[in-house]
């Protein structure tokens, strides 16, 4: 009897020891696994369950085709072969786009002798989504850019602008949207106020961090002139054919310019009370220098632009008050700008190539 009790006790002790050993070995294995390896296993399991799900629903698509997305995916997950099928790849898999896009070609031929047609431009830009939006698919864009164009009665120019710019902006790997801000009615044109409206309206749609303010008749002649923002406000139309391919004067900030949200907010946006032609761009320059910013520019070669020739628009005569207004930017910068902007949206049109917003901005 006592013999069998002794044997039973020994057997229990051995069993307890074996359990302890098993526990220790399991613990060592668990702790030695890196977090990445654990994540990888987790992803693996989740992909398998995704596959099972899609198979049960009969939706499994083409497996493992070697697109760039798949290649990036494999590299990040240690070259583990997984069948991807139609499973949407997680956003964090995409890397940031490079600072300098490898798709750029440099100098471009720009001419306005052959008319362009909206439908042809749409057909040539099938990569866009409604509202003139594009996001790179193989990498995460460095900037979210809203391009704002003040507009009235310039359809011919708009067609050229869209025809030339969409392919350039795509090659520049920008996450961008095009906003045409059309002044409603027949009152005197107000470029800067329309730009303010564009800023406010674009931000209602998306978390843009960079804003390009462009005239509808200016086309860049080199795709290395990035339509993006820098640490300082940037002037992009630095050597226009109209001015003999150089700056008309050192403080010139008209045509095409770029400002981050932070830079724009720092100057309270643009003045709302420049009705008619001229001076508003100089006021913006004054605002930037009052707030201690400097203008950055591309080189004269990269900054080459063509302007579509045209006569002076009706209801955009020279503003005789521009000299006086310009002399008082310091007094108006805080009271007149984006913080005091008032307007009424009349209509919003979503085209594949652009978002056109018609606005009532009042009169002088
Ligand atoms: C300048 C205009 C700019 C215009 C450029 C280029 C003025 C100064 C008012 C104090 N500035 O002369 O608005 O963009 O020419 O055309 O008129």
């Amino acid at each position: 009897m006592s013999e069998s009790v002794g044997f039973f006790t020994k057997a229990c002790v051995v069993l307890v020891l074996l359990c302890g050993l098993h526990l220790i070995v399991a613990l060592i294995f668990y702790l030695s696994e890196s977090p990445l390896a654990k994540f990888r296993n987790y992803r693996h399991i989740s992909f398998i369950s995704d596959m099972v799900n899609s198979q049960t629903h009969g939706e499994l698509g083409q497996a493992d085709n070697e697109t760039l997305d798949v290649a990036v995916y494999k590299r990040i997950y240690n070259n583990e072969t997984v069948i991807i099928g139609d499973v949407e790849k997680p956003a964090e898999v995409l890397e940031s786009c490079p600072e300098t896009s490898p798709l750029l070609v440099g100098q471009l031929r720009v001419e306005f002798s052959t008319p362009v047609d909206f439908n042809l431009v749409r057909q040539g830009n099938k990569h866009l989504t409604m509202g003139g939006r594009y996001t790179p698919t193989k990498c995460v864009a460095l900037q979210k850019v809203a391009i704002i164009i003040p507009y009235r009665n310039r359809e011919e120019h708009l067609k050229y602008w869209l025809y030339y710019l969409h392919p350039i902006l795509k090659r520049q790997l920008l996450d961008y949207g095009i906003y045409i801000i059309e002044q409603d009615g027949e009152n005197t044109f107000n470029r800067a106020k329309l730009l303010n409206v564009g800023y406010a309206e674009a931000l209602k749609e998306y978390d843009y961090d960079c804003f390009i303010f462009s005239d509808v008749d200016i086309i860049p002649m080199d795709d290395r002139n990035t339509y993006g923002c820098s640490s300082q406000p940037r002037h992009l139309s630095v050597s226009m054919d109209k001015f003999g391919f150089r700056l008309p004067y050192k403080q010139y900030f008209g045509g095409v310019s770029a400002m981050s949200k932070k830079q724009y907010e720092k100057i309270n946006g643009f003045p709302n009370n420049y009705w008619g032609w001229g001076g508003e761009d100089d006021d913006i320059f004054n605002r930037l220098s009052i707030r201690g910013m400097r203008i950055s520019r591309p080189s004269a070669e990269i900054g080459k632009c063509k302007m579509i020739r045209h006569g002076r628009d009706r209801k955009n005569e020279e503003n005789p008050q521009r000299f006086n207004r310009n002399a008082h930017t310091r007094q108006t910068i805080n009271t007149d700008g984006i913080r005091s902007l008032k307007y009424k949206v009349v209509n919003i049109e979503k085209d594949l190539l652009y978002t056109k917003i018609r606005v009532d901005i009042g009169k002088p």
Side-chain angles (χ1 to χ4, degrees):
M1 177 71 178
S2 70
E3 215 174 314
S4 70
V5 169
F7 172 74
F8 188 68
T9 313
K10 274 183 203 158
C12 281
V13 168
V14 169
L15 201 70
V16 167
L17 283 175
L18 276 175
C19 284
L21 194 69
H22 180 248
L23 210 70
I24 290 166
V25 169
L27 211 65
I28 290 170
F29 263 94
Y30 179 77
L31 291 177
S32 68
E33 270 213 312
S34 69
L36 181 65
K38 267 183 266 167
F39 178 60
R40 199 169 62 216
N41 283 346
Y42 165 72
R43 286 301 314 165
H44 201 75
I45 291 163
S46 112
F47 264 102
I48 289 169
S49 77
D50 284 346
M51 279 163 54
V52 172
N53 280 341
S54 45
Q55 271 169 332
T56 50
H57 291 94
E59 295 165 359
L60 190 66
Q62 271 284 297
D64 208 7
N65 59 356
E66 279 292 337
T67 62
L68 184 56
D69 287 6
V70 176
V72 170
Y73 176 81
K74 276 187 175 175
R75 189 149 57 82
I76 288 195
Y77 294 106
N78 217 9
N79 241 352
E80 190 172 334
T81 307
V82 285
I83 298 170
I84 296 201
D86 275 348
V87 177
E88 205 178 304
K89 291 165 281 298
E92 69 266 28
V93 164
L94 291 183
E95 292 181 345
S96 293
C97 296
E99 194 80 47
T100 309
S101 165
L103 307 175
L104 301 180
V105 297
Q107 279 179 32
L108 308 165
R109 229 171 54 106
V110 177
E111 54 92 19
F112 309 115
S113 52
T114 329
V116 297
D117 171 83
F118 269 125
N119 270 332
L120 282 179
V121 183
R122 285 187 196 105
Q123 274 164 31
N125 289 285
K126 295 244 171 75
H127 56 278
L128 296 174
T129 55
M130 285 310 269
R133 296 287 302 270
Y134 175 71
T135 308
T137 52
K138 314 291 186 206
C139 57
V140 179
L142 296 178
Q143 302 197 20
K144 299 192 281 271
V145 186
I147 298 168
I148 319 282
I149 300 180
Y151 181 85
R152 187 163 68 183
N153 295 334
R154 295 279 200 96
E155 200 174 89
E156 287 312 303
H157 296 181
L158 181 58
K159 283 191 267 186
Y160 281 120
W161 193 94
L162 297 164
Y163 170 77
Y164 280 114
L165 264 296
H166 273 304
I168 295 176
L169 298 168
K170 184 185 180 209
R171 289 201 297 277
Q172 292 183 346
L173 293 174
L174 302 166
D175 176 6
Y176 74 88
I178 308 294
Y179 295 86
I180 313 294
I181 313 300
E182 181 178 31
Q183 183 169 338
D184 190 45
E186 294 289 313
N187 292 320
T188 306
F189 198 65
N190 186 330
R191 176 180 183 264
K193 189 167 183 181
L194 291 170
L195 294 176
N196 278 341
V197 172
Y199 175 87
E201 288 297 312
L203 275 182
K204 285 183 191 166
E205 283 202 343
Y206 190 49
D207 183 26
Y208 290 108
D209 46 32
C210 173
F211 298 82
I212 305 289
F213 303 101
S214 174
D215 288 349
V216 69
D217 52 6
I218 300 181
I219 313 291
M221 296 170 73
D222 194 310
D223 64 6
R224 291 171 295 174
N225 194 359
T226 308
Y227 274 42
C229 293
S230 334
S231 57
Q232 293 295 321
R234 196 161 169 85
H235 184 224
L236 302 179
S237 52
V238 303
S239 50
M240 278 161 58
D241 57 346
K242 172 182 165 184
F243 300 127
F245 292 110
R246 57 178 126 88
L247 279 178
Y249 51 97
K250 206 168 154 263
Q251 297 84 355
Y252 178 59
F253 198 60
V256 189
S257 58
M259 250 175 256
S260 69
K261 193 175 171 191
K262 211 165 143 196
Q263 291 158 359
Y264 177 92
E265 292 286 339
K266 214 167 159 184
I267 59 168
N268 187 21
F270 302 156
N272 294 305
N273 62 354
Y274 277 79
W275 298 91
W277 184 90
E280 84 296 338
D281 46 358
D282 303 300
D283 194 293
I284 296 166
F285 177 87
N286 293 347
R287 286 173 180 236
L288 293 170
S289 59
I290 289 168
R291 290 285 175 261
M293 289 179 267
R294 295 171 64 87
I295 308 299
S296 81
R297 291 191 171 100
S299 68
E301 193 203 338
I302 289 180
K304 272 184 155 186
C305 299
K306 259 197 187 169
M307 201 184 103
I308 309 170
R309 298 264 158 203
H310 60 90
R312 176 64 52 86
D313 296 289
R314 235 174 43 79
K315 287 287 183 183
N316 193 23
E317 284 77 32
E318 283 188 14
N319 173 12
Q321 294 169 348
R322 66 190 191 283
F323 303 101
N324 185 40
R325 294 226 191 285
N326 241 265
H328 294 97
T329 311
R330 223 172 254 284
Q331 284 81 57
T332 52
I333 182 168
N334 286 323
T335 50
D336 178 27
I338 188 72
R339 296 198 283 271
S340 58
L341 173 68
K342 285 190 181 60
Y343 63 95
K344 271 200 244 57
V345 171
V346 176
N347 184 51
I348 300 183
E349 178 199 343
K350 289 274 178 193
D351 190 281
L352 182 67
L353 301 170
Y354 56 78
T355 297
K356 191 190 271 175
I357 305 178
R358 188 142 49 83
V359 278
D360 175 358
I361 56 168
K363 50 179 191 259

